[in-house]
Amino acid sequence: MSTIEKPRSAVLERILTLEVVRVTERAAVAAARLRGRGDEKAADQAAVDAMRRELNVLPIDGVVVIGEGERDEAPMLYIGETVGTGGGVKVDIALDPLEGTTLCAKNQPNSLAVLAIAERGGLLNAPDVYMDKIAIGPGYPKGVVDLDATPAENIKALAKAKGVAPEDITALIMDRPRHAALIEAVRATGAAVQLISDGDVAGVIHTTEPEETGVDIYLGIGGAPEGVLAAAALRCIGGQMQGRLILDTEEKRARAKRMGIAEADKKYEMHELASGDVYFAATGVTDGSLLSGVRFGRHGVSTETLVMRSATRTKRWIKAVHPLVEKFRTE
Ligand code: VTB
Ligand code: MG
Ligand code: MG
């Protein structure tokens, strides 16, 4: 019943699933060593360095189009940085070596090492600004919710499509003062609001397994890089998502324009955020509802990774045990 959206792409065919997994595994282990130390920057830097090293041994001609950190001066894998050994397939890369730096620093659930790889041109070159997002899981009629509808309209439409009362809907929203009106509007419908402190890539993915997570819809404003990464994930799993960049200053509009964004208030559909054949991988750093975190055990380091591909909709959960702990040491 699930339709394959596009014939298998010859371009990405040669990128082995396991190679993508290695990249997020390395970043996750590096960050996990600094879990719970209260030092977000150090954990982020460790993840960035590990991811860069691992990306650079992949047989790809890669360009980073979504990095992260501009906004909070976090260490970056720079937008425009070329990665890989070169000469291989031409791909665009979106990454967040440590998504949820604060979660990692506090050793709280759902920090992830995240990577998406697409055919050249397949990922929106978004600046590191905020993005307004809406996402739901698979199985709903197209357009049942919309970024331009009110929260009440969206909750009611979703409840109707699900065949339940608005009271039976749960919306996941980041706990921020900027969401006060949104939270109030959702609660006014009778729906439940689940607040998260950080981590909206995981947040969006939560909508795809409502039976497991209890989450039906993701709403609110988070990072634009995380929006593109979340869209890449949903392309692989199914579901619906829209996003709109928040370009609320002249400086941001100019920056977006330089990155090729002509229409400042455009509402992006999921397929415009991430198109063509896309790989998505996430390894758990801290324990979470999607993935277990890294374990430093007596017999080695254990990791858990979800890796998926949009062309085939294959999802793989790769649990790995790495007895050779030395390989994770930074050179
Ligand atoms: C957002 C969100 C991320 O950080 O970027 C958030 O997309 C930062 O938001 O998932 P604030 O500026 O309001 O703190 C995360 O939650 C974690 O990187
Ligand atoms: Mg980051
Ligand atoms: Mg992030």
Side-chain angles (χ1 to χ4, degrees):
M1 74 89 318
S2 72
T3 49
I4 291 175
E5 297 179 359
K6 225 194 141 205
R8 282 156 159 271
S9 144
V11 177
L12 288 192
E13 200 71 75
R14 290 172 54 212
I15 297 179
L16 300 172
T17 299
L18 273 179
E19 305 220 46
V20 182
V21 172
R22 276 193 198 99
V23 176
T24 54
E25 281 180 351
R26 291 289 172 115
V29 171
R33 287 199 192 286
L34 294 162
R35 236 170 7 200
R37 311 286 170 87
D39 191 344
E40 312 182 3
K41 290 266 151 72
D44 204 10
Q45 184 73 61
V48 168
D49 293 346
M51 191 173 266
R52 177 185 282 117
R53 266 199 308 278
E54 207 55 35
L55 276 173
N56 277 329
V57 299
L58 288 190
I60 54 168
D61 173 358
V63 179
V64 175
V65 298
I66 293 289
E68 203 228 14
E70 235 180 295
R71 182 162 29 84
D72 52 1
E73 289 176 1
M76 288 181 78
L77 256 158
Y78 293 93
I79 294 173
E81 183 169 337
T82 55
V83 291
T85 55
V89 289
K90 288 189 190 318
V91 294
D92 281 355
I93 296 177
L95 47 84
D96 198 346
L98 180 54
E99 157 57 359
T101 50
T102 308
L103 299 174
C104 177
K106 295 182 176 174
N107 208 345
Q108 288 176 339
N110 289 320
S111 70
L112 306 169
V114 184
L115 179 73
I117 297 190
E119 296 165 81
R120 185 69 38 95
L123 299 167
L124 178 72
N125 293 14
D128 189 8
V129 295
Y130 284 122
M131 180 185 275
D132 195 8
K133 312 171 194 182
I134 186 167
I136 56 172
Y140 291 108
K142 195 169 172 350
V144 63
V145 297
D146 195 289
L147 202 54
D148 286 330
T150 65
E153 286 166 345
N154 281 327
I155 298 294
K156 285 176 191 159
L158 185 63
K160 195 163 173 222
K162 193 179 175 181
V164 299
E167 284 76 7
D168 300 329
I169 293 292
T170 298
L172 195 66
I173 301 177
M174 264 206 292
D175 194 1
R176 293 293 187 277
R178 63 175 178 268
H179 292 148
L182 169 65
I183 291 167
E184 202 179 313
V186 171
R187 284 181 178 152
T189 67
V193 172
Q194 184 175 329
L195 294 170
I196 50 170
S197 66
D198 272 297
D200 71 8
V201 175
V204 167
I205 297 174
H206 273 82
T207 66
T208 64
E209 294 279 358
E211 307 293 320
E212 300 268 320
T213 61
V215 172
D216 299 293
I217 181 167
Y218 181 87
L219 292 167
I221 295 170
E226 285 85 351
V228 174
L229 284 161
L234 282 206
R235 284 286 323 288
C236 299
I237 310 171
Q240 299 180 45
M241 178 175 171
Q242 293 170 326
R244 179 180 278 126
L245 297 172
I246 301 191
L247 300 169
D248 51 2
T249 65
E250 212 29 72
E251 188 272 325
K252 287 180 198 169
R253 281 190 289 274
R255 186 145 46 100
K257 208 167 176 188
R258 283 198 297 278
M259 293 179 74
I261 289 164
E263 202 185 322
D265 58 357
K266 183 177 162 60
K267 177 171 67 178
Y268 290 93
E269 300 294 333
M270 183 170 75
H271 283 82
E272 297 173 301
L273 296 168
S275 61
D277 193 9
V278 180
Y279 267 97
F280 175 93
T283 302
V285 177
T286 55
D287 277 345
S289 28
L290 302 170
L291 293 163
S292 296
V294 176
R295 290 271 182 286
F296 297 100
R298 193 177 287 189
H299 305 292
V301 181
S302 310
T303 54
E304 192 181 4
T305 303
L306 169 60
V307 59
M308 324 186 268
R309 183 179 178 194
S310 70
T312 52
R313 296 264 181 101
T314 310
K315 294 189 249 178
R316 293 182 170 92
W317 282 264
I318 300 190
K319 273 181 181 251
V321 182
H322 312 268
L324 299 179
V325 179
E326 315 84 72
K327 77 182 184 189
F328 292 110
R329 298 272 171 228
T330 52
E331 50 267 32

